[in-house]
């Protein structure tokens, strides 16, 4: 295939659009990542406002996002002692009066409004004291043109303060798009083939661009948006699925023919419990993968406490019994260390050794680990990203478990093991469940196993929300529980482990707890991220052995530590934690036979979102349900770790709302690959080109040439 670089009209730098110029172009690039005509064209409105509807002032209420009112403007006043800080005016339409207010632009504005002239005022009413006002409304005189122009859906575009100061507010952005569209129309090329567009009745792309920016009707807008959402999700899914298919096709995988002594020993002798049905099912799925001769790429989802670690360890044993090494990779050092502790523990009964490798492993230890690994004396290596560095050479790596919080995108995963000719099997585990749509988008190239069953005998954790002012009651409850022989976690938020303020919260809290729970009757441990590992370990061990009653900690205990006798989890400033983090923390209790409790402490005066989070925690223990709510509340961009993945920069699709489109798009992508696995059929040329444009890779075509 010739690799001639032909510049397309839509690749023209934005600077050359009439009304932009170098200064604004720079701002557009810096603030909104708009570099070219095409970038502007695909900078879709985030909302539309129906400007065909006029409201009267008496109809205005707080529920209305934006209103359009016809009226007269009077009583223009400037406020502020030495300099003007505010300008107000009154709008009246015979049904009432409403205040208009401006905080800048007075000089230009104050002579704009003529008495007796009727204006169209547009903006968002906000209740201020007892009266509604509209800040920085759009105002234009009533003229036949204005009415006409207003009688359609007006697009609203995101903008920034800097852009606004240069006239590029939502309206200004709209003007640019309006200027671009007529000249670009002929150059808008189709990105979906006819054999998809036609049966699905999708709007052609040029039409779509017109109607997504300046819809002629709400029906056309809906069709335009549906097409763009489908297209966006279709290409993401197609990309994921072709990665998956290629891997299946190309990647040879190690075969583990035997279930050997280590596995059997562990299963029959070491395990003190019966595996759940779900655990057994997942192990069978993995067993089949490792017999298939193809590389396994599997996502393991399961709620906190569902027993993923045991499954991971048994997978590693499958590899070891077949003469391979295994590794386990965690996203942080603390997590790596905790895994190291618990896995070493499980392996020690089998006479197997695990090594630990992180960024802070001392050079001598590092050398020892690396050489043992290379020579094949070290069956298991646990660590952070450090364990996939180039200097790390395995003797025979057969299985990799990645314990992650959505840290890798598909492209990174594909690169991970490119250095070995036969890649190891890969099992990705998530700490808590993630919403279906997110899983499909982030991990759509993986096969999925779900542990959807908790070990038997677990009593559901009782979760209670308490305000800080009821702290004495909580202390009383803690005393009762300690009297019954239970142990208690008290957790403080540490959003950034380096934040001094948070550490102060923790030490203050620790002191108040020590005051309340004094020796010799009570013993209290404290653990936080700033302690030396040895001290931390010492304190943890005291708690694990039951020598202390209360463990005051930051979120370092979030994952890993396993103390069945600890049955109470008090989470301080719970309003500051995200939902999945709260759920993960709560999962530290409820592991023994006793009734467990989670107490969410918060201040009064919670935000609506914080209140909702706490309510959800109180109402359910189901991690899958919590994950869905989390996505609804925060949107995919804010879910931990998703930013790094890059594939969630969705321009128009919304994972909280478009699940059915997503599933449909995935289905269509599957059909396409079944019909034309190489995407080489001439009827799919448009798709081939689009994939290259979007993903800049030559996944298929490099094979062919
Ligand atoms: P996860 O990593 O999924 O949050 P863990 O693997 O840490 O969960 O398991 C939680 C606890 O449940 C551990 O104490 C583990 O030993 C125990 N456990 C795991 N599987 C079972 C089972 N089938 N029956 C009883 N206890 C189990
Ligand atoms: Mg775990």
């Amino acid at each position: 295939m010739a690799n001639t670089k032909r510049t397309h009209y839509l690749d023209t730098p934005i600077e050359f659009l009439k009304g932009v110029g170098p200064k604004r172009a720079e701002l557009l690039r810096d603030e909104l990542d708009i570099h070219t005509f095409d970038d502007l064209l695909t900078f879709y409105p985030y909302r539309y406002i129906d400007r065909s509807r006029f409201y009267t002032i008496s109809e205005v209420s707080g529920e209305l996002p934006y209103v359009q009112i016809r009226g007269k403007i009077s009583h223009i006043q400037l406020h502020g002692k030495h300099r003007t800080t505010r300008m107000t005016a009154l709008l009246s339409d015979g049904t009432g009066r409403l205040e208009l207010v401006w905080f800048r632009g007075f000089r230009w504005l104050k002579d704009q409004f003529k008495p007796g002239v009727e204006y169209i005022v547009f903006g968002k009413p906000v209740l201020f004291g007892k009266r509604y006002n509209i800040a920085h409304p759009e105002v234009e005189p009533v003229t036949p043109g204005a009415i006409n122009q207003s009688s359609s859906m007006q697009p609203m575009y995101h903008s920034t303060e800097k852009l606004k100061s240069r006239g590029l507010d939502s309206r200004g952005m709209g003007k640019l798009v309006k200027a671009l569209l007529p000249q670009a129309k002929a150059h808008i090329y189709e990105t979906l083939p006819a054999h998809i567009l036609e049966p699905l009745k999708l709007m052609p792309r040029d039409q779509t661009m017109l109607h997504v920016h300046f819809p002629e009707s709400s029906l056309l807008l809906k069709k335009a948006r549906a097409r763009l959402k489908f297209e966006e999700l279709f290409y993401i899914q197609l990309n994921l699925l072709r990665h998956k298919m290629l891997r299946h096709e190309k990647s040879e995988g190690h075969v583990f023919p035997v279930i050997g002594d280590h596995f059997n020993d562990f299963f029959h002798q070491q395990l003190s419990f019966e595996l759940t049905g779900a655990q057994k099912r997942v192990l069978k799925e993995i067993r089949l993968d490792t017999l298939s001769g193809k590389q396994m790429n599997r996502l393991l989802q399961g709620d906190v406490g569902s027993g993923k670690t045991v499954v991971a360890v048994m997978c590693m044993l499958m590899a070891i019994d077949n003469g391979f090494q295994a590794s386990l990779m965690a996203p942080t050092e603390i997590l790596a260390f905790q895994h190291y502790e618990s896995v070493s523990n499980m392996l020690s009964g089998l006479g197997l050794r695990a090594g630990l490798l992180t960024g802070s492993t001392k050079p001598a230890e590092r050398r020892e680990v690396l050489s043992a690994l290379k020579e094949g004396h070290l069956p298991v290596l646990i660590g952070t990203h450090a364990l996939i560095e180039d200097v790390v050479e395995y003797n025979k790596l057969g299985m990799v478990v990645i314990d992650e919080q959505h840290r890798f995108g598909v492209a990174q995963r594909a690169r991970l093991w490119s250095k070995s000719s036969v890649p190891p099997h890969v099992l990705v585990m998530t700490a808590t469940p993630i919403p279906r749509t997110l899983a499909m988008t982030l991990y759509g190239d993986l096969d999925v196993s779900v542990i959807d069953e908790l070990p038997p005998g677990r009593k559901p954790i009782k979760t209670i929300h308490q305000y800080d002012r009821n702290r004495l009651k909580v202390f009383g409850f803690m005393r009762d529980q300690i009297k019954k022989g239970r142990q208690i976690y008290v957790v403080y938020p540490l959003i950034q482990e380096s934040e001094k303020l948070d550490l102060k919260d923790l030490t203050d809290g620790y002191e108040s707890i020590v005051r309340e729970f004094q020796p010799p009757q009570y013993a209290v441990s404290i653990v936080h991220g700033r302690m030396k590992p040895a001290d931390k370990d010492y304190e943890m061990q005291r708690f694990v052995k039951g020598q202390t009653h209360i463990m005051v900690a930051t979120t370092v205990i979030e994952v890993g530590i396993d103390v069945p006798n600890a049955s109470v989890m008090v989470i301080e400033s719970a309003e500051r934690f995200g939902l999945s983090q709260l759920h993960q923390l709560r999962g530290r209790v409820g592991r023994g036979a006793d009734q467990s409790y989670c107490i969410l402490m918060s201040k009064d005066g919670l935000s609506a979102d914080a209140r909702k989070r706490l309510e959800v925690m109180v109402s359910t223990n189901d991690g899958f349900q919590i994950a869905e709510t989390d996505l609804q509340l925060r949107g995919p961009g804010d879910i931990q770790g998703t930013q790094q993945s890059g594939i969630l920069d969705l321009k128009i699709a919304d994972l909280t709302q478009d699940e059915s489109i997503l599933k449909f798009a995935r289905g269509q992508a599957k059909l396409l690959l079944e019909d034309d696995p190489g995407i080489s059929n001439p009827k799919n040329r448009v798709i081939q080109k689009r994939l290259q444009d979007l993903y800049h890779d030559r996944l298929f075509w490099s094979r062919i040439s």
Side-chain angles (χ1 to χ4, degrees), residues 11-38:
D11 295 330
T12 310
I14 194 68
E15 166 176 358
F16 299 112
L17 181 64
K18 197 159 164 271
V20 178
K23 287 234 174 70
R24 282 173 148 196
E26 194 183 327
L27 274 183
L28 285 168
R29 281 194 296 269
D30 292 349
E31 301 280 300
L32 297 175
D33 209 20
I34 295 176
H35 299 251
T36 64
F37 285 7
D38 195 51

Side-chain angles (χ1 to χ4, degrees), residues 25 31 58 86 88 207 304 382 400 404 444 494 525 558 586 661 667:
E31 301 280 300
S58 62
R86 184 165 58 100
T88 57
Q207 293 295 310
V304 54
I382 296 170
V400 177
E404 70 165 349
L494 256 202
S525 288
E558 194 177 330
R586 178 168 61 181
I661 303 182

Side-chain angles (χ1 to χ4, degrees), residues 506-526:
L506 177 76
T507 44
D508 287 356
Y510 173 68
E511 275 160 24
S512 77
I513 288 194
V514 170
R515 263 198 307 280
E516 204 65 34
F517 296 88
Q518 294 201 355
Q521 207 178 345
Y522 300 106
V524 182
S525 288
I526 182 167

Side-chain angles (χ1 to χ4, degrees), residues 239 242-243 691-701:
N239 187 43
R242 74 188 171 132
H243 268 97
L691 281 171
Q692 277 174 318
D693 284 351
L694 286 172
Y695 299 105
H696 310 290
D697 65 19
R698 301 175 65 82
L699 202 56
F700 285 140
W701 302 282

Side-chain angles (χ1 to χ4, degrees), residues 304-305 307-309 339 403 429-431 559-560 584 588 591:
V304 54
K308 295 183 292 287
T309 314
H339 276 310
D403 181 8
M429 288 197 300
T430 63
V559 195
Q584 179 73 26
R588 295 302 99 199
R591 295 178 168 221

